[in-house]
Amino acid sequence: MSMTWTRRRALQSLGLWMAGSPLLEAQHEVPKLIGEPPGRITPREELVNTLEVDAVAQRVLPATVYAKVAGSDRRAFDRMTFRPRMLVPVRNLDLSVDLFGTKHFAPILVGPASRQARFHPDGELALVRGAAAGKGVAIISSHSSQPIEKIAGEAKDTLWYQVYPEPDMGPVIKRVQAAVQAGCKVVCLTVGTPYLPAGQGGPPNPAKLATLGNPALDWGVVDQVRQAAKVPVLLKGIMSPEEAQAAVQHGASGIIVSNHGGRFVEGLATPIEVLTAVVDGVGGKAPVLIDSNFRRGSDVVKALALGAKAVLVARPALWGLAAYGGDGVRTVLELLQSETARTMALCGKPTLASLDRTTVQIHRR
């Protein structure tokens, strides 16, 4: 039986084969690499990494829409290198992770993003279908293009839900309760951003910050969300060990290190740069997750080695959604899973528990 090999199959075979993934069944023939003629949109099956998905998304989206998901600060990741261990058996690589009572195939989740119909007509509906097909969990924004009940109806796996605090928390609480009723298992409360006026979709334009203000989040708001949700509540946007400690003391079930406010303030550290301090601040009392600028499986491994329990990816998933619909979201997850497995294997780390800070070296400049 003959099989046509693509660049993606060639690379994926090394990573996910080591992880024992069923995605690699019948992929054992000698690879034949295929070139990339100019002027041609890459077929999804030939994609090698998420940067190629980005290039396709840029070609299919209007410039003003693509600008919402463009850009990446890679400097912090580029300053990190690996310290591989040799002579370690890695044949039975395992990427699975337990989060809040649920076992996940890999420590890679699809992060929240508002109004996804901007990127694909089916918006969040296609996104959750693709995430489920890629064995991943999607976090749905409260500013979605579709009602959470309809989105949950398309999901075949666990959904999480993300909300922003508002001056009037009544509508927020109702949205949280509706999301939990629809089947969302975790609620993420995003902090570090301005409060949103009622009815405004997505974070405010930076030009409006002077009128909106940026009031501090009251811990009473966290208590309201926790009591209404009755499921684990994570605080997203934490960037300091002191706030991480306070969040856990006030009942947060987990932390998501993220500089969402970095859209509005120049000079902020990137999440990966403060990750170890936040992990140390939490002291193992709650899982720490992280987002922002993750593009490769090697990025994921660096975060896991520094103490993150899992990584959120939003922009790469939206690139996949824009370029290929739900199938593109699945492809992005599979590419990242494959790269994560391959990097772990080459570093001599067969499980997530075997990753620690000795795996990476940080070069300050």
Side-chain angles (χ1 to χ4, degrees):
M1 179 183 295
S2 64
M3 175 178 287
T4 300
W5 273 77
T6 64
R7 296 178 303 151
R8 181 188 170 206
R9 285 182 181 273
L11 289 176
Q12 188 184 57
S13 62
L14 176 59
L16 288 184
W17 168 76
M18 292 176 177
S21 169
L23 296 173
L24 268 294
E25 293 179 1
Q27 297 185 17
H28 303 297
E29 297 184 15
V30 177
K32 179 181 179 181
L33 303 184
I34 298 176
E36 186 72 14
R40 170 174 172 259
I41 292 181
T42 309
R44 183 175 57 85
E45 295 79 9
E46 297 182 16
L47 295 166
V48 170
N49 56 54
T50 67
L51 303 181
E52 292 191 336
V53 185
D54 179 16
V56 177
Q58 185 173 9
R59 294 180 63 183
V60 301
L61 287 174
T64 54
V65 177
Y66 173 75
K68 303 294 183 181
V69 292
S72 178
D73 186 348
R74 303 285 308 161
R75 290 172 294 179
F77 289 107
D78 293 341
R79 290 196 296 270
M80 299 180 188
T81 55
F82 291 107
R83 300 171 178 172
R85 292 286 302 276
M86 302 299 147
L87 304 178
V88 178
V90 293
R91 168 72 181 185
N92 298 316
L93 206 68
D94 184 7
L95 301 186
S96 64
V97 61
D98 291 313
L99 290 172
F100 311 108
T102 300
K103 186 174 183 178
H104 300 269
F105 176 73
I108 304 169
L109 290 68
V110 177
S114 63
R115 297 176 290 142
Q116 294 179 18
R118 294 176 292 173
F119 309 106
H120 187 276
D122 289 342
E124 291 84 1
L125 304 180
L127 181 104
V128 297
R129 289 195 294 264
K135 300 183 180 180
V137 171
I139 306 174
I140 302 303
S141 169
S142 56
H143 296 288
S144 58
S145 301
Q146 301 280 352
I148 187 60
E149 295 83 0
K150 189 173 181 179
I151 297 169
E154 293 289 331
K156 296 181 180 179
D157 208 338
T158 304
L159 277 186
W160 293 10
Y161 191 65
Q162 178 258 348
V163 294
Y164 296 94
E166 297 179 7
D168 180 3
M169 286 297 294
V172 176
I173 296 303
K174 290 181 179 178
R175 289 195 290 269
V176 167
Q177 292 173 330
V180 173
Q181 182 66 30
C184 294
K185 302 299 184 184
V186 173
V187 171
C188 304
L189 177 62
T190 293
V191 301
T193 58
Y195 284 115
L196 304 179
Q200 178 172 319
N205 186 300
K208 299 180 180 179
L209 291 186
T211 57
L212 292 178
N214 190 13
L217 179 71
D218 186 278
W219 290 110
V221 171
V222 180
D223 292 336
Q224 289 182 59
V225 175
R226 287 181 51 247
Q227 293 170 12
K230 296 183 173 29
V231 298
V233 173
L234 314 186
L235 290 195
K236 182 177 184 294
I238 299 296
M239 288 285 287
S240 73
E242 296 81 11
E243 283 193 327
Q245 291 172 354
V248 173
Q249 291 170 0
H250 283 82
S253 298
I255 301 297
I256 302 177
V257 182
S258 171
N259 66 345
H260 198 87
R263 296 182 182 182
F264 315 121
V265 180
E266 295 292 338
L268 291 184
T270 61
I272 195 72
E273 292 175 302
V274 302
L275 175 59
T276 55
V278 173
V279 169
D280 290 345
V282 171
K285 296 179 181 178
V288 176
L289 290 71
I290 185 172
D291 75 358
S292 298
N293 297 320
F294 287 87
R295 303 291 181 262
R296 305 299 301 267
S298 56
D299 300 341
V300 174
V301 175
K302 289 171 183 178
L304 299 174
L306 295 179
K309 192 77 170 178
V311 167
L312 279 60
V313 294
R315 289 182 183 179
L318 294 177
W319 298 338
L321 178 67
Y324 305 97
D327 287 340
V329 178
R330 173 180 179 172
T331 294
V332 164
L333 285 174
E334 291 176 352
L335 288 170
L336 291 172
Q337 292 162 3
S338 175
E339 290 180 343
T340 299
R342 183 168 64 251
T343 303
M344 288 175 58
L346 294 175
C347 286
K349 303 294 182 178
T351 65
L352 301 186
S354 66
L355 289 166
D356 58 28
R357 294 179 188 178
T358 66
T359 308
V360 297
Q361 180 173 354
I362 301 176
H363 306 270
R364 294 303 174 187
R365 286 289 181 261

